[in-house]
């Protein structure tokens, strides 16, 4: 663990961006409600939706506050001479966690930002195809549709996922879909490009997909793989990208890893870095072939070193987040608690609601569990119903878990974190009983 002390004796000395509390000299609270002391939640709020926006631990927040103070003391000095060292440290540490080389990882604002960067750097041509799924995150799906709306209009192919299902069925159907797309007759078949956007852990439903096997199927078929791993880092243990070999992979650090909102890691293996010619926005060090002194494209890492003035605290908070997680006991200890509670809590919630869990075997469940809601399936999704559920949960009950409509049924996705206990699911059950009754009454 890095030194927790911050020295103020020398302005030129590099600081460690963690907490003013020497965590290594303290024993962490027990997982469960005792962890509330390390977060700044409203005491009456029951948070079962960490997965949407993340939640910042106090030690990481203190580190960010100290960093901001340091920056404002001399912005020029920090941003021109010190920032780069902490940026490299953050990239190095996150690369080790996900099993990649440091110079294959850069930090970007969000998963959507990273995926948009990848998709907009491909040189699209007539006949190219982008594969999405019906559970692709809505903003990513919209980005794909936008690319299909503008010249040269790459086609969009949708792979349908209907849950409940199994990994075996997903892989069987994915292999068939990839074969169908790659076998379609076309005058451009020999030159066309096919890019598949694959979820590692889907958002809604919140399920783990067999993404490594799906990537391997893409690779064997000559299809590019772009993995939307927004929910992976901090929730999926033993990620080894050097072995999985996706073509591109992006994950949010402010969700399950506990970094400051918002920050994500973009992984591009060296074999594919030639694809990324510019980040978004285009940086000041972009090398254009039309430059008089052009000597080849800028390196991948250097492109992302400075993409305009912004708050750099979220990027650099990765170091403090990793220190915090190590202090808690590490990735396996954290996720053993949260996964076990997700499975037990999901079953308990389903029992209280008189419904069922989406994944009874637990094979597709990590720290997010999906439970059917007691709303008749013939009541379809609408903004009015969605807003009614949201407002009853948040305003009347001060509790929240995501709600959505999938495969003819209404569901909730509960995101379980280290501060949750089984009793939180009981509060959520009472809130959903009330909210669902109001939905049924509204629909009539």
């Amino acid at each position: 663990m890095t030194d927790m002390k911050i020295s103020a004796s020398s302005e030129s000395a590099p600081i460690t961006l963690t907490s003013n509390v020497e965590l290594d000299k303290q024993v962490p609270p027990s997982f469960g409600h005792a962890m509330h002391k390390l977060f700044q939640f409203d005491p009456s709020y029951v948070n079962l939706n960490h997965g949407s926006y993340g939640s910042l631990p106090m030690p990481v927040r203190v580190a960010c506050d100290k960093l901001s103070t340091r920056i404002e003391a001399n912005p020029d000095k920090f941003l021109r001479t010190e920032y780069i060292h902490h940026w490299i440290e953050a990239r190095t540490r996150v690369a080790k966690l996900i099993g990649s080389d440091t110079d294959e990882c850069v930090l970007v604002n969000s998963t959507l930002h990273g995926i948009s960067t990848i998709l907009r750097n491909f040189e699209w041509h007539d006949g190219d195809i982008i594969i999405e799924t019906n559970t692709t995150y809505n903003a990513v799906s919209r980005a794909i549709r936008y690319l299909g709306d503008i010249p040269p209009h790459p086609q969009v192919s949708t792979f349908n996922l209907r849950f409940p299902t199994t990994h075996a069925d997903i892989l069987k159907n994915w292999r068939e879909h990839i074969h169908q797309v790659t076998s379609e007759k076309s005058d451009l078949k020999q030159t066309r490009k096919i890019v598949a956007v694959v979820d590692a852990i889907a958002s809604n439903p919140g399920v783990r997909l067999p993404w490594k096997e799906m990537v391997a199927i893409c690779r064997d078929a000559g299809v590019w793989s772009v993995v939307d791993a927004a929910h992976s880092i901090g929730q999926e243990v033993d990620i080894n990208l050097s072995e999985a070999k996706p073509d591109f992979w992006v994950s949010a650090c402010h969700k399950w890893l506990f970094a400051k909102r918002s920050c994500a890691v973009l992984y591009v293996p060296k074999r594919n870095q030639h694809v990324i010619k510019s980040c978004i926005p285009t940086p000041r060090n972009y090398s254009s072939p039309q430059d008089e002194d052009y000597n080849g494209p800028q390196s991948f890492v250097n492109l992302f070193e400075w993409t305009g003035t912004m708050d750099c605290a979220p990027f650099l908070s990765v170091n403090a987040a990793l220190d915090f997680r190590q202090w808690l006991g590490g990735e396996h200890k954290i996720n053993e608690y949260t996964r076990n509670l997700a499975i037990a809590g999901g079953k308990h919630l389903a029992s209280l609601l008189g419904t069922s869990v989406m994944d009874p075997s637990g094979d597709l469940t990590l720290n997010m569990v999906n439970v059917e809601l007691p709303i008749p399936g013939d009541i379809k999704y609408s903004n009015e119903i969605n807003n009614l559920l949201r407002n009853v949960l948040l305003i009347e009950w001060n509790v929240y878990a995501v709600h959505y409509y999938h495969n003819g049924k209404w569901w909730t996705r509960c995101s379980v974190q280290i501060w949750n206990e089984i009793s939180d699911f009981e509060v959520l059950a009472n809130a959903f009983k009330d909210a669902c009754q109001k939905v049924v009454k509204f629909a009539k």
Side-chain angles (χ1 to χ4, degrees):
M1 187 179 294
T2 55
D3 184 6
M4 292 291 171
K5 294 182 179 179
I6 296 178
S7 172
S9 60
S10 172
E11 287 189 359
S12 60
I15 64 173
T16 300
L17 305 178
T18 52
S19 170
N20 62 338
V21 179
E22 297 182 32
L23 295 180
D24 53 348
K25 294 182 180 180
Q26 299 186 34
V27 177
S30 299
F31 290 153
H33 290 169
M35 277 287 168
H36 283 163
K37 68 181 69 175
L38 294 179
F39 295 83
Q40 284 197 312
F41 299 131
D42 170 355
S44 65
Y45 175 51
V46 177
N47 184 356
L48 278 163
N49 188 37
H50 171 86
S52 285
Y53 308 115
S55 303
L56 190 63
M58 276 303 299
V60 182
R61 179 172 178 175
V62 170
C64 292
D65 290 345
K66 285 185 171 288
L67 170 61
S68 295
T69 299
R70 178 64 177 260
I71 293 172
E72 296 310 319
N74 192 331
D76 274 294
K77 184 177 182 181
F78 187 92
L79 296 175
R80 294 179 185 275
T81 68
E82 297 181 22
Y83 165 74
I84 186 65
H85 303 293
H86 300 301
W87 183 71
I88 292 172
E89 179 189 6
R91 290 174 41 244
T92 299
R93 295 182 66 183
V94 79
K96 182 178 179 180
L97 181 63
I98 62 178
S100 76
D101 185 86
T102 298
D103 286 343
E104 295 177 320
C105 292
V106 293
L107 300 173
V108 294
N109 293 336
S110 66
T111 304
L112 179 60
H113 192 110
I115 291 176
S116 294
T117 299
I118 296 163
L119 294 179
R120 289 172 185 253
N121 268 280
F122 275 113
E123 295 182 6
W124 299 105
H125 300 96
D126 187 30
D128 289 348
I129 301 172
I130 309 175
I131 301 174
E132 63 169 5
T133 75
N134 62 308
T135 58
T136 296
Y137 183 64
N138 53 12
V140 173
S141 179
R142 293 295 88 190
I144 292 170
R145 294 289 168 171
Y146 172 73
L147 289 173
D149 288 341
I150 60 176
H153 304 290
Q155 303 171 39
V156 179
S157 172
T158 301
F159 174 66
N160 286 311
L161 286 164
R162 301 296 178 189
F163 296 93
T165 188
T166 64
H167 278 183
D169 280 346
I170 291 172
L171 290 173
K172 174 180 176 293
N173 295 333
W174 178 250
R175 187 175 287 106
E176 290 175 355
H177 188 83
I178 293 296
H179 177 73
Q180 177 184 351
V181 172
T182 56
S183 300
E184 289 178 355
K185 293 183 179 181
S186 170
D187 294 338
L188 302 170
K189 182 177 179 181
Q190 299 303 317
T191 58
R192 73 181 176 191
K193 175 171 43 274
I194 302 175
V195 178
V197 177
V198 178
D199 283 327
I201 302 171
S203 179
N204 291 323
V207 293
R208 178 179 68 92
L209 298 183
W211 67 271
K212 294 180 180 180
E213 294 88 344
M214 294 171 77
V215 163
I217 291 170
C218 289
R219 183 167 56 247
D220 291 344
V223 173
W224 293 86
S225 59
V226 177
V227 179
D228 180 346
H231 287 277
S232 287
I233 192 168
Q235 180 176 191
E236 184 177 4
V237 298
D238 300 326
I239 299 169
N240 191 329
L241 298 183
S242 296
E243 287 187 0
K245 294 182 172 57
D247 289 316
F248 305 90
W249 185 94
V250 194
S251 189
C253 298
H254 64 265
K255 290 181 181 282
W256 299 91
L257 197 67
F258 291 138
K260 182 177 174 63
R261 189 183 310 112
S262 63
C263 170
V265 55
L266 165 61
Y267 162 83
V268 181
K270 293 177 180 177
R271 69 180 185 275
N272 294 331
Q273 290 182 359
H274 66 280
V275 174
I276 309 299
K277 299 176 178 62
S278 171
C279 48
I280 301 173
T282 299
R284 63 190 180 191
N285 62 349
Y286 168 73
S287 296
S288 169
Q290 300 180 55
D291 293 338
E292 291 184 5
D293 57 350
Y294 180 71
N295 193 29
Q298 183 60 267
S299 73
F300 169 69
V301 171
N302 287 347
L303 277 175
F304 289 83
E305 180 181 310
W306 186 265
T307 58
T309 303
M310 61 181 181
D311 183 6
C312 60
F315 285 8
L316 305 189
S317 72
V318 167
N319 294 314
L322 291 172
D323 284 341
F324 177 69
R325 297 177 70 81
Q326 185 175 341
W327 176 65
L328 292 177
E331 300 303 310
H332 284 269
K333 181 178 180 180
I334 293 169
N335 286 285
E336 180 182 18
Y337 177 83
T338 49
R339 182 172 188 265
N340 288 341
L341 180 58
I343 291 174
K347 292 178 180 178
H348 189 46
L349 178 62
S351 175
L352 294 171
L353 294 177
T355 61
S356 61
V357 294
M358 179 178 286
D359 176 33
S361 69
D363 291 342
L364 282 68
T365 302
L366 291 178
N367 302 342
M368 297 189 291
V369 63
N370 303 271
V371 178
E372 184 183 350
L373 293 175
I375 301 175
D378 59 357
I379 298 178
K380 307 296 185 182
Y381 176 91
S382 70
N383 288 334
E384 291 80 7
I385 291 177
N386 186 66
N387 292 342
L388 177 57
L389 287 168
R390 179 196 65 195
N391 292 341
V392 172
L393 292 176
L394 281 172
I395 297 174
E396 298 182 27
W397 286 87
N398 206 19
V399 60
Y400 200 68
V402 165
H403 36 85
Y404 61 94
Y405 187 82
H406 174 78
N407 200 17
K409 294 182 178 181
W410 283 90
W411 304 85
T412 179
R413 182 201 77 190
C414 305
S415 300
V416 176
Q417 257 301 351
I418 55 174
W419 58 74
N420 289 122
E421 293 183 3
I422 198 75
S423 61
D424 294 336
F425 289 88
E426 296 169 1
V427 177
L428 183 66
N430 290 330
F432 264 127
K433 286 178 182 178
D434 182 26
C436 293
Q437 288 173 0
K438 290 176 177 175
V439 165
V440 173
K441 182 177 179 180
F442 171 82
K444 289 181 179 180

